[in-house]
Amino acid sequence: MENSKENPNTNDPPSSFVIKIPSYEEVIQSQSQPPAQSLFKSSQTFTQAFKSIKNSEFYVPPPSSSSSQSQSRDSSTPSAAANQAGASSSSAQNRNAILVSNRQKGNPLLKHIRNVRWAFSDIVCDYMLGKNSCALYLSLRYHLLHPDYLYYRIRELGKNFKLRVVLCHVDVEDVVKPLLEVTRTALLHDCTLLCGWSLEECGRYLETIKVYENKPADLIQGQMDTDYLSRLSHALTSVRHVNKTDVVTLGSTFGSLSHIMDASMEDLARCPGIGERKVKRLYDTFHEPFKRTIPKHPSTAETSAQQFTPCEVIEDEKETSHSSKRNKKESDLTVKSALSAAFAKYKEKVGMETNHQQEHENQKQ
């Protein structure tokens, strides 16, 4: 009984797994039919592969703003990189070029700027020659028509530039009055005035300032030798007929320039190779006054050659007497006497003003 309960289905046949093998006809029929579409079939694009998911209940569409931002980012990244590259290249070019204001379009001066690159730009000044330097172009003919133009242009610049150049093109014949006005305006507003008598000269000024923008002033200054002999030869060879050999002879004989200047004509003549003409030139150069006095009266030879009448002689004597009296008066006037006279006049003036004030006060009382 117990065994029958434990195995109630002992009489049933054992289960078996049967594999069905298709026949030849079934295989041919299956090949002739179109194949069923597979879910994992490869597609050409991502959207075609996951197109069926959009129709399911699990699909949620993305927000439109994020997609637009992502698309704009994707599209803007190459353009931004290209813009940055273009900006860097343009800034490098502008750094080495003269920036020209749009106001100067059509100015024939631009044809004469050949040695430096230039480009148009929206700037306040006419020509930007560097970070701290600029230039304003002015024609004197235009200044005669608009006298206040330069003043208002300088006011527009302000204090943004250390070097402010007024490039004045002198294109009129009578330049005294207009050039005086331009000079006064430039000096009162701390501007440097450069005058050019042709467009080529004005263009050359702009090119030179741009080329020497970052260079020191020593390149423009003349180079001076530091040793004593070269400086002595530079000073003495400025005297006519004195060469470098004579400078070496004088330097070895006297030792210094001060001793050469104090030497007499006999001492200079003892030096070998220095003749009478050189001695006289050197001595006259060191002992003549810097300010030459022009004789007021003709020499005796000239007066003897001329024939004067008695009336002319009397007039000359009168003129000489008047001039001698005038010279005596001028010699009597000293600085002390002039100051004392000025103070006396000032004292009298102050005394008169005080007297008038006292009289007014008395009248009021």
Side-chain angles (χ1 to χ4, degrees), residues 103-104 124-127 134-138 149-150 152-157 164-168 191-192 194 206:
R103 298 182 181 183
Q104 297 296 310
V124 180
C125 57
D126 291 338
Y127 300 93
C134 68
L136 292 176
Y137 175 78
L138 179 68
Y149 172 77
L150 181 60
Y152 288 112
R153 290 305 309 278
I154 294 175
R155 279 185 59 186
E156 289 179 358
L157 292 179
R164 302 185 298 174
V165 178
V166 177
L167 185 60
C168 182
C191 295
T192 304
L194 294 177
L206 295 176

Side-chain angles (χ1 to χ4, degrees), residues 170-191:
V170 182
D171 52 356
V172 294
E173 294 181 358
D174 189 6
V175 300
V176 177
K177 186 178 178 181
L179 197 57
L180 180 62
E181 295 174 356
V182 173
T183 305
R184 186 186 295 114
T185 307
L187 289 177
L188 290 176
H189 294 86
D190 297 331
C191 295

Side-chain angles (χ1 to χ4, degrees), residues 322-340:
H322 283 301
S323 62
S324 61
K325 288 180 182 179
R326 195 179 303 150
N327 292 332
K328 286 180 181 180
K329 288 181 181 179
E330 290 177 357
S331 61
D332 292 339
L333 290 174
T334 59
V335 177
K336 188 175 180 181
S337 61
L339 288 173
S340 60

Side-chain angles (χ1 to χ4, degrees), residues 311-328:
C311 296
E312 292 178 351
V313 172
I314 294 168
E315 289 178 358
D316 290 337
E317 289 178 355
K318 287 181 180 179
E319 288 179 359
T320 52
S321 63
H322 283 301
S323 62
S324 61
K325 288 180 182 179
R326 195 179 303 150
N327 292 332
K328 286 180 181 180

Side-chain angles (χ1 to χ4, degrees), residues 224-237 247:
M224 193 70 183
D225 297 325
T226 56
D227 57 324
Y228 186 78
L229 182 60
S230 59
R231 297 176 70 179
L232 180 65
S233 63
H234 180 73
L236 292 179
T237 50
V247 173

